[in-house]
Amino acid sequence: MYKAPRGMSDILPPEQPLWKYVKEKAASVCDLYGYQPLNTPVIEDAGLFTHAVAGGTDIVDKEMYIFKDRGGQELALRPEGTAPVCRAYLEHGLFNLPQPVKLYYIGASFRYERPQAGRYRQHHQFGFEAIGDASPFLDAEIIEMAQRFLLSLGLRDFSIHLNSIGCRTCRPGYVSALKRYYASFEGELCPDCKARLERNPLRLLDCKKRHCQEIAEAAPRTTAFLCPDCLAHFESLQECLNILKTPFLLNHRLVRGLDYYTRTVFEVQPQEETSQGALGGGGRYDDLIEALGAKPTAGVGFAAGIERLISNLREQQVNVPPSPHITVFLASLGAEARKESLKLASVLRGAEIATMESAGNKSLKSQLKQANARGSSYTVILGEEEMKSRTAMLRDMKSGEQRLVPLSQVVATLRQTRALERGQSPGDT
RNA sequence: GUGAGUGUAGCCCAGUGGUUAAGGCGCCAGGUUGUGGCCCUGGAGAUCGUGGGUUCAAAUCCCAUCACUCACCCCA
């Protein structure tokens, strides 16, 4: 039998309400802040990621789905969302709009890696980006927005970690200081860290091994090496967050996986220390658009993993409000009633009443059982007796009460009850 | 890419060398000539992940392989 590809999964109907809930909250927070939706293709020119974005990081070096199409074009399944958004910003001349341009996206990302808890080959990200302005006020807006989004979902146990990793002026000084510091500990480092010392020194800071953590704790801090502009930016951002009353933790060991970050980096961590890592993260990427071959343009953004959000919603037992829908099930007995049921179903649907029909000639018992299993509010029973008198038996599935209604009155009666029930329990969505 | 654990029906799982692989959920039917949710009865549904080996005999032991899960690397 065929199975879904490794690390990729089907999202079955019972899970859909939760997905819908998260997507709706995402869209509504974006509306609130004036961020507009943008869809980009799942596939991009591979170069967008390999050259411009993050050469030297694992995510493009060894985790990218990359292939040639029939025309020989090198394409890639997108491993992240920011670069495609920047590509679209440039391709469509969005730099001609008033800056910054505020956009959001919800879509699949792909990484070729061994799946485990909270980590998949296909996962879904919700992200928002403000492009075209370097003000720290925007960093603050993005972070507050991320927080508001998570709170609106009902999540509580998370914290926002914040750091600044400087810019291309001040970071090289920091990196060499870091290397100098680590040189004296080289013998004590774990094998992974020894490799990191060469390949990606910043990553030394977030090693999980206890001894390496002790060394990292005492290491030089990025913030001590920031150039005056970066320092001013970072201080201004913190001031803004304090004004916004958005709590954050300064974490001098926070660095992020993508190379394009400059200055601000932040991550949302669940309170429970899990190995599956961050709920989401983001930062400023003032060099990215220049790397794509355009004039230098600042940007800042955030992205969250929907699967991880959902798993945290489940852990924190946040209950999703069920969509209050009233549905009707049509049960019929006999050939004539079956045809009448077909006709009635069409009329009900025409009246915007959600309706399901029994497919075959099953017993009434079986049909009611099905109506019950599908959670119908009402069952309309059409039998031989009803056919003779041109009536229908309307059964309230909750109370079990039923009454005989002229066939011509079925729609009107159901509409009435629906209006009544909606009035009694106003929807909260 | 590395390491560990696990593969028995749609789902949860019992069964550690010996008849026909047990149970629960779910599904279908009956108990009610046209009445769901509870209860009772019955039924369908499993090449025991796959291939090979050991043995008179393998779901059970061995080897390989695949898949899943968890962890590392890394990340959402």
Side-chain angles (χ1 to χ4, degrees):
Chain A
M1 277 298 285
Y2 290 113
K3 286 197 278 188
R6 177 168 218 192
M8 305 189 182
S9 46
D10 303 311
I11 303 163
L12 295 170
E15 308 166 62
Q16 293 289 349
L18 208 41
W19 280 78
K20 191 179 171 196
Y21 171 74
V22 171
K23 287 180 180 178
E24 281 171 359
K25 293 290 184 189
S28 78
V29 80
C30 286
D31 286 346
L32 210 52
Y33 285 77
Y35 285 63
Q36 297 183 297
L38 167 75
N39 292 320
T40 63
V42 164
I43 297 171
E44 294 276 355
D45 196 313
L48 175 63
F49 306 108
T50 53
H51 300 151
V53 174
T57 61
D58 281 1
I59 171 170
V60 299
D61 283 353
K62 52 181 214 193
E63 291 181 2
M64 213 156 66
Y65 276 92
I66 196 160
F67 60 94
K68 282 195 171 131
D69 71 6
R70 288 165 190 262
Q73 268 245 55
E74 274 237 315
L75 299 173
L77 263 46
R78 65 167 171 237
E80 57 99 37
T82 300
V85 169
C86 291
R87 194 223 78 230
Y89 170 89
L90 294 172
E91 184 170 340
H92 303 287
L94 304 189
F95 41 78
N96 289 315
L97 267 37
Q99 304 293 299
V101 173
K102 300 182 172 183
L103 300 165
Y104 78 93
Y105 59 88
I106 299 175
S109 285
F110 301 85
R111 302 205 186 145
Y112 191 87
E113 60 190 340
R114 289 274 293 263
Q116 71 186 66
R119 181 188 287 172
Y120 311 99
R121 288 188 170 184
Q122 176 178 0
H123 73 283
H124 298 78
Q125 289 189 5
F126 158 50
F128 41 88
E129 317 278 350
I131 303 173
D133 192 312
S135 164
F137 279 59
L138 277 175
D139 304 43
E141 174 175 287
I142 292 276
I143 293 171
E144 193 219 15
M145 199 172 151
Q147 183 200 232
R148 192 184 296 277
F149 166 62
L150 296 165
L151 289 176
S152 80
L153 285 175
L155 290 173
R156 291 295 177 270
D157 295 331
F158 63 85
S159 50
I160 296 168
H161 292 233
L162 182 69
N163 195 18
S164 174
I165 57 170
C167 63
R168 56 188 164 194
T169 308
C170 52
R171 193 164 10 177
Y174 172 70
V175 171
S176 57
L178 191 64
K179 277 183 170 168
R180 249 179 282 124
Y181 166 80
Y182 266 94
S184 53
F185 293 101
E186 199 171 348
E188 304 174 36
L189 295 175
C190 71
D192 285 329
C193 278
K194 280 177 186 163
R196 284 191 266 249
L197 190 52
E198 289 305 314
R199 207 157 299 158
N200 198 345
L202 284 181
R203 292 237 80 92
L204 286 162
L205 294 171
D206 66 356
C207 182
K208 284 178 193 164
K209 302 261 185 338
R210 188 169 301 163
H211 188 61
C212 294
Q213 286 188 352
E214 286 165 13
I215 296 170
E217 197 52 43
R221 305 187 168 195
T222 51
T223 44
F225 287 77
L226 294 179
C227 63
D229 284 351
C230 286
L231 186 62
H233 184 98
F234 194 42
E235 282 173 348
S236 171
L237 166 58
Q238 292 176 60
E239 191 190 351
C240 288
L241 290 172
N242 287 331
I243 291 168
L244 290 167
K245 296 193 165 56
T246 297
F248 60 91
L249 299 167
L250 286 179
N251 181 349
H252 65 272
R253 287 172 46 199
L254 175 65
V255 294
R256 303 225 63 232
L258 295 162
D259 269 2
Y260 54 58
Y261 285 112
T262 54
R263 294 186 170 170
T264 309
V265 291
F266 70 101
E267 224 168 64
V268 180
Q269 294 285 351
Q271 214 70 343
E272 301 255 335
E273 290 239 345
T274 54
S275 59
Q276 65 171 245
L279 277 171
R284 181 160 278 289
Y285 44 88
D286 291 345
D287 298 338
L288 173 57
I289 287 181
E290 188 181 3
L292 293 177
K295 71 170 187 200
T297 306
V300 58
F302 169 80
I306 297 181
E307 283 83 353
R308 287 187 182 178
L309 292 173
I310 286 175
S311 111
N312 275 265
L313 285 170
R314 289 207 169 105
E315 273 167 31
Q316 296 186 28
Q317 296 179 344
V318 175
N319 36 0
V320 175
S323 54
H325 64 179
I326 296 161
T327 62
V328 173
F329 191 90
L330 300 186
S332 55
L333 292 161
E336 195 194 337
R338 181 73 190 82
K339 286 178 203 162
E340 193 59 50
S341 161
L342 183 66
K343 202 156 63 172
L344 181 57
S346 182
V347 173
L348 285 168
R349 288 167 182 149
E352 309 252 299
I353 295 171
T355 304
M356 277 182 291
E357 276 189 279
S358 167
N361 47 346
K362 293 189 169 184
S363 69
L364 182 59
K365 175 178 175 165
S366 162
Q367 294 185 63
L368 278 166
K369 209 172 161 183
Q370 196 185 349
N372 185 58
R374 292 184 186 278
S376 309
S377 325
Y378 291 92
T379 298
V380 175
I381 301 168
L382 301 168
E384 284 164 22
E385 288 169 29
E386 287 83 357
M387 287 304 93
K388 275 181 214 153
S389 55
R390 303 298 297 159
T391 56
M393 190 64 87
L394 192 57
R395 181 179 178 84
D396 181 328
M397 294 301 281
K398 209 165 186 179
S399 64
E401 288 164 16
Q402 51 186 43
R403 57 187 160 139
L404 208 54
V405 178
L407 255 183
S408 56
Q409 294 300 303
V410 171
V411 175
T413 310
L414 283 170
R415 268 188 152 161
Q416 234 167 39
T417 24
R418 180 173 63 176
L420 233 133
E421 296 202 3
R422 282 204 176 147
Q424 281 169 356
S425 56
D428 46 3
T429 42

